[in-house]
Amino acid sequence: TGVRFGGFGAANGKFGDGPREITVDGAGNVWGGDLANFRVQVFSPSGAFLFAEPNPPQPPPTGGFNGAMGVTLDAQGDVWALDRYNQRVEKFDPNGNFLMQFGKRGGGPDGMNYDRAIAYDPNDQTIYVADTDNQSVKKYDLSGNFICDLGVFGTGLGQFNEPQGIDVGSDGTVYVADSLNQRVQVLAPNSCTAVRTFGTKGTNPDGDFEFIRSVEVDPTDGSLWTADQTLGVVEHFTSAGQWLSSFGSSGSATDQFNQPSDIVLDGNYVLVSDTATNDIKIWTKQGQFVEAYGGFGTALGDFAGPYGMAFAPDGNLYVMEQQNDRIQILSVSLGGGVGAAAKLAFTQEP
C-alpha cells in the first residue's frame, strides 16, 4: 500500500534497536514487538500510533537472568554475569546480592548485542566483554564505565565473526575466541589493540578449529586451552599459538563432548562445561578422562545448560546455567579425592 511508519527512538511510534515480530489483528491494526523499549506497539492500518503495552514500559528487574552465559570474578570475589537476553552486565557480591548493572540493547559504548563471554583483568582491574553479535570486544572499569572497544565484522586483524570466548593472561594479554573466523585473536596487554591471530579452519585437532567456543589461560605456565564445539575437542597451545596436544571427541558417551562450552583449570585438571549433556567433564592435562559431574535437574549438583565457569579467589567454582537462570557454586576437591559438590545457588526471577 506504500505505507511506511516507525523510525529509531523511544517515543510513541518509534522503535529501539532490534524490533522483533509483527502481526495484524482482525481489524487490520498492526502489532509490533519493540524489543529494546520493552513494549509492544499497536498502529492503525494507515500507520497511526494507537497505544503501547505495557505502559509505562517494564524493563527486566535487576538481579535476574534470562539465558545468561558468561561469568567471571574479580579480586574482591564479586561476581560479574552476562545477562545475554537482557543485554546487560550484572554485578553481585559473593552471596548473590545484586550490586549494579550496565548495558542496554544496541550498539555503541554501552550497547550489548547477545554478549556471551566476560573476563576480569587483574592487572588494571577492568572487565572485558565479548559483545558477540556486535562483533566487538569492549573494556570497562569496575564501575561499568566504558574504556575502549575493538572490532567490526570481518576477517582482518581486529575484526571478528561471532567472538564467543575471552580470557586475560597474567601479563594483561587478551585472548579472544573468534568463533566463526576459526581462530584465536590476541590483543596487546591493557588495550583494545589486536596484534596477531593463530589457528586455521579445519577438522583435525592439531591447531584446526571449526567452531571455537572458549579460550582459557593456564595460570601455571601461560599456555592456552581451547574448546571447539563442532569438533568436540579440547586443544592445548603455547602462549605463542603453537599447538601442543588435544583430547576428547564428539559424541554422547560420558567421556565425549556434545557441546563443550567453557574451560577452567585446577592444578593438573581441565574442567569443561558440556552444555548439551548438562554436566562438567573433568580430564587431566595429559588427556586422561576422570569423571563427569552433574546431570539434568534443578537440585544442587544438577545443571540445566551449564555454560560459563570461573574460579573465585576462595577456590569455589561458579557455574552459570542458561536454562536454570542461576549461578551455582561448587566446592571442588581434585587430586587425591577427585570430585565436586554443590554448595549453593543464587538466582532471582528473570
Side-chain angles (χ1 to χ4, degrees):
T1 63
V3 174
R4 177 187 295 180
F5 55 92
F8 179 77
N12 289 337
K14 304 294 185 181
F15 293 91
D17 184 80
R20 290 289 194 276
E21 293 295 338
I22 193 170
T23 192
V24 179
D25 64 23
N29 296 322
V30 181
W31 297 63
D34 189 4
L35 174 69
N37 290 323
F38 306 105
R39 63 185 179 179
V40 172
Q41 297 194 76
V42 184
F43 301 84
S44 72
S46 64
F49 172 80
L50 298 177
F51 63 91
E53 290 291 347
N55 188 18
Q58 294 181 14
T62 60
F65 299 132
N66 189 358
M69 298 181 75
V71 62
T72 193
L73 289 96
D74 61 29
Q76 289 71 45
D78 290 330
V79 184
W80 298 78
L82 290 185
D83 191 12
R84 179 177 44 146
Y85 291 140
N86 287 327
Q87 319 287 351
R88 64 186 178 183
V89 177
E90 295 186 287
K91 181 182 180 182
F92 301 85
D93 70 19
N95 295 316
N97 298 307
F98 174 80
L99 297 176
M100 59 164 284
Q101 69 175 38
F102 63 90
K104 65 179 182 180
R105 166 73 187 185
D110 60 346
M112 302 286 174
N113 194 357
Y114 301 114
D115 40 336
R116 287 175 170 84
I118 187 169
Y120 171 67
D121 183 356
N123 295 276
D124 58 1
Q125 299 185 55
T126 56
I127 294 290
Y128 284 92
V129 174
D131 191 4
T132 306
D133 286 14
N134 275 330
Q135 314 296 345
S136 65
V137 169
K138 296 176 178 176
K139 183 176 183 178
Y140 301 88
D141 66 23
L142 297 188
S143 296
N145 298 308
F146 174 79
I147 298 174
C148 64
D149 65 356
L150 170 73
V152 294
F153 176 77
T155 60
L157 186 65
Q159 299 177 334
F160 296 101
N161 189 354
E162 295 287 302
Q164 301 210 11
I166 192 166
D167 200 17
V168 183
S170 60
D171 64 349
T173 301
V174 181
Y175 301 89
V176 184
D178 192 3
S179 300
L180 291 182
N181 277 330
Q182 290 89 26
R183 65 185 183 182
V184 173
Q185 193 153 182
V186 184
L187 280 58
N190 308 320
S191 76
C192 290
T193 303
V195 293
R196 59 186 172 87
T197 67
F198 68 86
T200 56
K201 178 178 172 58
T203 58
N204 295 317
D206 57 0
D208 289 352
F209 297 122
E210 279 285 299
F211 192 89
I212 177 176
R213 273 284 193 181
S214 63
V215 57
E216 182 77 7
V217 180
D218 194 324
T220 64
D221 58 9
S223 62
L224 306 173
W225 298 82
T226 65
D228 191 295
Q229 176 180 305
T230 301
L231 297 180
V233 298
V234 169
E235 296 186 68
H236 189 200
F237 299 84
T238 68
S239 59
Q242 179 182 359
W243 179 80
L244 296 172
S245 63
S246 63
F247 62 78
S249 60
S250 181
S252 57
T254 304
D255 61 350
Q256 292 181 304
F257 295 117
N258 198 335
Q259 188 180 333
S261 296
D262 200 12
I263 299 173
V264 290
L265 303 163
D266 188 7
N268 188 47
Y269 295 92
V270 182
L271 289 73
V272 184
S273 58
D274 199 354
T275 303
T277 59
N278 300 295
D279 55 22
I280 296 171
K281 293 182 175 176
I282 305 171
W283 302 69
T284 68
K285 289 180 179 178
Q286 292 73 38
Q288 179 182 357
F289 176 72
V290 178
E291 71 169 294
Y293 173 81
F296 178 76
T298 59
L300 287 180
D302 294 336
F303 301 107
Y307 194 93
M309 301 187 295
F311 274 110
D314 62 6
N316 288 327
L317 178 64
Y318 286 63
V319 181
M320 175 65 79
E321 298 179 67
Q322 295 180 63
Q323 296 164 28
N324 276 335
D325 284 315
R326 68 182 184 181
I327 293 173
Q328 191 165 175
I329 304 170
L330 305 179
S331 174
V332 179
S333 176
L334 297 172
V338 173
K343 296 187 68 174
L344 60 99
F346 62 81
T347 183
Q348 299 182 38
E349 291 300 317

